[in-house]
Amino acid sequence: MRKTTTFALFATALIALGCGAGATDTASSSGSGDSAAAKSEEKAAKTAKIGQAARDGKFEFTVKSAKCGVAKVGSDLLGDKAQGQFCLVTVNVKNIGKEPQTLIDSSQKAYAADGTEYSTDSEAAIYANKDQQTLFAEINPGNQVTGVLVFDIPKKAKLAKLELHDSPFSGGVEVALS
């Protein structure tokens, strides 16, 4: 009897969650026919350029520079060699929230013009950042760090934009590199 009651409660909870999820989707999809235009404008407003501040969640990102064509980072004794070429992106990250927030380099993405996605190379970033700890750094409110994100991309590839995130689950903000 006890197993049956537990199963019935569990099934009821799943059904309730399913109904609630459907209601949320319906409510968010209703609206005027201009919703596609509004989404396009919102996305355009979220795209910044090198030197411009762009916000996602608790972080304000400012890409200072981007340099591709780098074959190796680090010193002669300790370093990392690119499979293709390294693109070094210098970025300043400021915590604009009211709580500490951790910057996670693996949450940051780069894209070529054709939409090919590239992830950061955390090992190479250790060598590129030397004494700076921006790879997995907790940033307190009001504080900021500057460091280098490293992307290992094919030799003939060219980055068009970055997608920067305050967390792995945030919507992100785009920064055009050209």
Side-chain angles (χ1 to χ4, degrees), residues 4-5 19 24 34 49 59 71 83 99 101 109 115 142 150 156:
T4 305
T5 305
C19 292
T24 302
D34 295 330
K49 296 179 182 176
F59 284 157
Q83 293 171 352
E99 298 174 350
Q101 181 77 7
K109 305 292 179 204
V150 180
K156 294 185 180 189

Side-chain angles (χ1 to χ4, degrees), residues 16 22 33 36 47 55 59 96 122 138 173:
T47 302
R55 293 180 171 196
F59 284 157
I96 56 173
S122 297
E138 185 172 81
V173 64

Side-chain angles (χ1 to χ4, degrees), residues 56-59 61 101-104 107-108 164-172:
D56 180 54
K58 296 178 185 176
F59 284 157
F61 298 94
Q101 181 77 7
T102 301
L103 173 64
I104 304 169
S107 296
Q108 316 316 320
L164 303 172
H165 297 266
D166 87 328
S167 75
F169 308 108
S170 70

Side-chain angles (χ1 to χ4, degrees), residues 37-107:
K39 286 181 183 178
S40 176
E41 287 177 23
E42 180 181 316
K43 187 165 182 103
K46 289 181 106 178
T47 302
K49 296 179 182 176
I50 292 177
Q52 292 181 328
R55 293 180 171 196
D56 180 54
K58 296 178 185 176
F59 284 157
E60 180 179 84
F61 298 94
T62 305
V63 175
K64 304 255 183 206
S65 65
K67 178 184 177 187
C68 292
V70 178
K72 182 182 177 187
V73 291
S75 67
D76 290 335
L77 298 175
L78 294 172
D80 195 14
K81 186 177 177 186
Q83 293 171 352
Q85 65 172 321
F86 286 132
C87 287
L88 309 177
V89 179
T90 303
V91 63
N92 179 271
V93 183
K94 181 177 181 179
N95 183 337
I96 56 173
K98 296 190 184 286
E99 298 174 350
Q101 181 77 7
T102 301
L103 173 64
I104 304 169
D105 74 324
S106 62
S107 296

Side-chain angles (χ1 to χ4, degrees), residues 27-39:
S28 67
S29 66
S30 66
S32 67
D34 295 330
S35 64
K39 286 181 183 178

